[in-house]
Amino acid sequence: MQRRELMRLLASAGALPLLGPLARLAHAADKDAWQADFEAADAPWKTGFAAPPGDLPLTRAAVRGRFPDAVTGTLFRIGPAGHDLGGERYHHWFDGDGMVHRFVIDGADVRHQGRYVATPKRVAEVRAGRRLAEAFGTMPPGVEPPTSADNINVANTSVLPLQGEVLALWEGGSATRIDARTLDTLGVKTWRPDLAGMPFSAHPKVDPDGTVWNFGVSSGQGLLALYEIGADGALRRAAVVPVADMPMVHDFAVTERHLVFLMPPLVYDAKRKEAGATFLDAHVWRPELGMRALVVDKQNWERRQMLTLPAGFLFHVGNAWEEDTPRGTRIHIDYVRSENADSVFTTNREVMRARRVKSTDPHLTVATLNLDTGTATQTTLAQEAEFPRIDPRRVGLRHRQVVHATQVRRDLPGFGAVARTDVESGCSQRFSYGAQAIVEEHVYVPDGAKPGWVLGTVLDFGRQKTVLSCFAADHLAAGPVAQATLPYALPLGLHGAFVSA
Ligand SMILES: [Fe+2]
């Protein structure tokens, strides 16, 4: 099959295969009890999974201390927020309509604004007062099969500042353009007319020279789309490559010369989808496949190599870098590894009815891929981890420090502390926010040759407020140098990006 034909197929089908007729027959007409269960639950943390009824106008935070000059700018964040509609509640954290936030930081002045992304799906469903389309982990009753991936695009996963705009990213369809000053939704991003509707994942990587690399997974077709975008925001190249037993791939890494995909053995099964499963439940855990590592030459996408690590699951990669040694070229990649995919199937579902179901703890893990021998090894560090972030100037280059959430609690979802871990020595320092906080992603903000800053939010469910904190990156354990407390709690989000003023 010619590449052009593959592209046409991908673009017409979108990332998510269409729902089969059996699924429609399987729909129960009655509403289920998830909304009632959520409302009745007495878990104080459930605010993190509540849905703001509408947009949140620009509001001044109460600031303690002063945010350093290097963090003067805007922290954009995004996450699922539209969790319920018409008395129906989604069954998975990742389903909700995206809400994009901006925290405008200037010394002792911090203001916050949040707006739902006005995707075609959200606009149509709010108008109808009910769900019209399937979601990642929920099949609402009576929905029609989507006619394209962008009809079910919730733009809720991550943000990419690019050329003065912000792209709100999902992973099944197009990026959505957002006005960086007003948070107005400007429509989907089409990189080239023949790529309209193609899957564009939520974790693009930006090289030090500004080149943007990304991928997209088309599960039904078993194809991996690849993108190279110039620092000017113009598409340079796009193509698709076939992958057998296509798994769920959420994140990837780049090195100076390669793209690296860690592929957990959570494999898409088209028959399950045709039988009416949600996109999530169409995936099967097949540990016999191991964790495959697909390495693609950045310059020549036809040059690909597959290595294998022990089976495990991941959402996120910290960074990767490569070195030429007398014994061959080696890629070092750090990622957050779990023993299995229970977190996506169960933990991140049950929170939607305010139930805490613990799964295996994710840990920071460092793998080495030897491209000459085709062998791969890995070491799991002691630190529980999620939301790993590095100095953006070190993407694809040798790095040591990874900022991440840590400290799993048995009775609370998410994490209680932020940490900075040296992935070579294993040394780590952390700051715990206490027993009534759930940590969101913290980003690293560079400050010239100085150690830099760590910036991130927590849900303080004791006070029912969201708090933005800034730490000296080399003195994390000393606690925040400045904090901005909003007069309200935001729903727990996923990823963000800082743009200096
Ligand atoms: Fe992510």
Side-chain angles (χ1 to χ4, degrees):
M1 193 181 290
Q2 296 300 305
R3 177 176 296 170
R4 182 172 295 277
E5 175 66 4
L6 289 173
M7 299 294 257
R8 191 190 63 75
L9 274 175
L10 257 176
S12 63
L16 299 185
L18 303 185
L19 181 62
L22 284 175
R24 271 171 284 169
L25 291 174
H27 289 147
D30 297 332
K31 290 177 180 174
D32 59 44
W34 284 59
Q35 182 68 22
D37 288 349
F38 183 78
E39 289 172 3
D42 60 3
W45 50 264
K46 72 177 185 180
T47 317
F49 303 95
D55 292 347
L56 301 166
L58 196 64
T59 299
R60 197 176 296 269
V63 175
R64 186 172 63 78
R66 182 180 174 82
F67 286 79
D69 290 347
V71 300
T72 300
T74 303
L75 175 68
F76 293 97
R77 282 188 48 75
I78 202 166
H83 296 300
D84 56 60
L85 185 67
E88 282 286 328
R89 189 160 178 81
Y90 276 141
H91 296 185
H92 202 288
W93 183 29
F94 300 165
D95 290 342
D97 298 321
M99 176 175 263
V100 62
H101 305 271
R102 61 185 187 115
F103 294 84
V104 184
I105 305 164
D106 185 3
D109 183 71
V110 175
R111 284 161 293 160
H112 165 264
Q113 180 187 14
R115 291 189 73 179
Y116 279 103
V117 183
T119 59
K121 171 183 177 295
R122 178 161 177 88
V123 170
E125 291 186 337
V126 169
R127 187 179 297 140
R130 66 180 182 89
R131 296 296 179 201
L132 302 173
E134 66 176 278
F136 171 79
T138 307
M139 193 70 74
V143 298
E144 293 294 318
T147 53
S148 79
D150 279 343
N151 283 2
I152 56 174
N153 189 336
V154 286
N156 69 358
T157 312
S158 190
V159 286
L160 174 66
L162 190 67
Q163 292 290 304
E165 288 183 357
V166 174
L167 297 180
L169 305 174
W170 188 48
E171 63 187 27
S174 303
T176 301
R177 296 169 50 220
I178 304 290
D179 185 303
R181 290 188 172 274
T182 63
L183 302 184
D184 282 339
T185 300
L186 304 175
V188 296
K189 176 74 180 179
T190 300
W191 298 101
R192 208 171 60 197
D194 61 318
L195 303 179
M198 287 268 287
F200 190 81
S201 285
H203 287 283
K205 296 291 179 281
V206 184
D207 279 346
D209 72 357
T211 302
V212 180
W213 302 89
N214 201 11
F215 72 98
V217 171
S218 181
S219 304
Q221 286 80 24
L223 296 172
L224 184 68
L226 303 176
Y227 302 86
E228 180 187 352
I229 297 157
D232 61 356
L235 183 82
R236 283 190 196 138
R237 274 190 296 165
V240 291
V241 299
V243 173
D245 297 316
M246 179 61 88
M248 189 179 289
V249 182
H250 178 70
D251 195 355
F252 80 128
V254 298
T255 65
E256 286 180 84
R257 301 192 305 253
H258 296 95
L259 314 176
V260 188
F261 299 88
L262 295 184
M263 297 184 158
L266 187 60
V267 177
Y268 183 78
D269 180 346
K271 289 193 176 64
R272 286 188 175 219
K273 192 78 192 77
E274 287 162 13
T278 63
F279 179 72
L280 169 61
D281 293 306
H283 285 80
V284 184
W285 185 246
R286 290 178 52 192
E288 74 278 8
L289 291 173
M291 174 89 82
R292 291 171 292 167
L294 173 65
V295 180
V296 181
D297 187 304
K298 263 182 171 176
Q299 298 309 318
N300 179 358
W301 293 344
E302 298 301 321
R303 288 178 55 121
R304 302 190 290 274
Q305 184 175 357
M306 192 76 91
L307 302 89
T308 308
L309 287 159
F313 181 73
L314 79 152
F315 288 117
H316 297 124
V317 172
N319 191 34
W321 57 281
E322 65 191 19
E323 60 176 343
D324 294 319
T325 75
R327 286 178 289 176
T329 298
R330 294 177 178 188
I331 291 176
H332 305 275
I333 180 167
D334 52 86
Y335 71 105
V336 177
R337 178 182 185 277
S338 298
E339 277 298 316
N340 54 49
D342 288 356
S343 62
V344 67
F345 281 110
T346 306
T347 308
N348 290 323
R349 251 193 179 126
E350 291 297 328
V351 290
M352 295 309 294
R353 45 184 170 183
R355 293 181 187 171
R356 165 67 172 146
V357 177
K358 197 171 174 305
S359 43
T360 58
D361 295 336
H363 283 87
L364 211 51
T365 298
V366 183
T368 299
L369 314 176
N370 187 322
L371 301 189
D372 291 75
T373 63
T375 56
T377 57
Q378 66 183 8
T379 303
T380 294
L381 305 184
Q383 285 76 23
E384 299 156 355
E386 246 310 342
F387 300 126
R389 295 295 296 253
I390 64 152
D391 182 337
R393 299 169 299 187
R394 304 303 300 167
V395 170
L397 305 174
R398 186 172 187 171
H399 70 295
R400 293 185 66 160
Q401 305 295 338
V402 177
V403 172
H404 58 92
T406 194
Q407 193 183 72
V408 174
R409 282 84 52 94
R410 181 160 298 280
D411 56 341
L412 294 176
F415 299 82
V418 59
R420 180 175 185 249
T421 299
D422 183 325
V423 289
E424 292 192 12
S425 71
C427 289
S428 186
Q429 60 169 306
R430 66 172 58 184
F431 175 78
S432 174
Y433 281 97
Q436 295 191 308
I438 298 175
V439 173
E440 300 186 281
E441 180 189 71
H442 285 52
V443 300
Y444 177 87
V445 180
D447 189 0
K450 298 177 189 167
W453 307 93
V454 171
L455 185 66
T457 47
V458 298
L459 169 64
D460 178 340
F461 61 80
R463 293 191 293 161
Q464 296 287 313
K465 289 175 175 175
T466 292
V467 182
L468 173 72
S469 301
C470 181
F471 302 82
D474 56 343
H475 289 100
L476 203 58
V481 298
Q483 281 191 309
T485 302
L486 299 181
Y488 42 75
L490 300 175
L492 286 164
L494 292 170
H495 299 291
F498 176 78
V499 179
S500 60

